[in-house]
Amino acid sequence: GSCGHRCCPGRNNACWVPGARRARCYCDSYCERTGDCCEDYRAACRRAAVGCAVGPWGPWSGCSSPCGVGSEARSRQVAVPPRHGGEPCPDLKQRRGCLGEHPTCGTAE
């Protein structure tokens, strides 16, 4: 089968053409993981692929709890979105635990 101009990003079960012995071969970027790409997939589809590019991580937020266990988060932006089956974007948000230690913690009212 020939992908020709039938290249699809991501997983797309409708993106196939008849292959050898009437079996389906796929022209979506997920076919590289499943191993059922058409013979010309790389030449026809990957050539124009653009992988995701992200910017730097922003600063961590403050702890969500002023006293005790909480969490902080940070994020980053997509600089170049993936196109034509290119590599997908990595995580854009991160979260980690923190311990709030505000000066008023532990004081009784």
Side-chain angles (χ1 to χ4, degrees), residues 50-95:
V50 175
C52 181
V54 294
W57 287 107
W60 287 101
S61 67
C63 194
S64 63
S65 174
C67 300
V69 177
S71 64
E72 10 181 66
R74 68 178 182 172
S75 63
R76 59 186 172 181
Q77 301 295 318
V78 173
V80 178
R83 291 191 304 273
H84 310 297
E87 286 297 313
C89 293
D91 288 339
L92 299 175
K93 295 183 181 182
Q94 285 184 333
R95 186 171 296 280

Side-chain angles (χ1 to χ4, degrees), residues 9-29:
R11 185 174 193 170
N12 185 342
N13 289 337
C15 191
W16 63 273
V17 295
R21 298 185 211 110
R22 297 183 186 171
R24 289 181 181 182
C25 65
Y26 291 84
C27 300
D28 60 354
S29 60

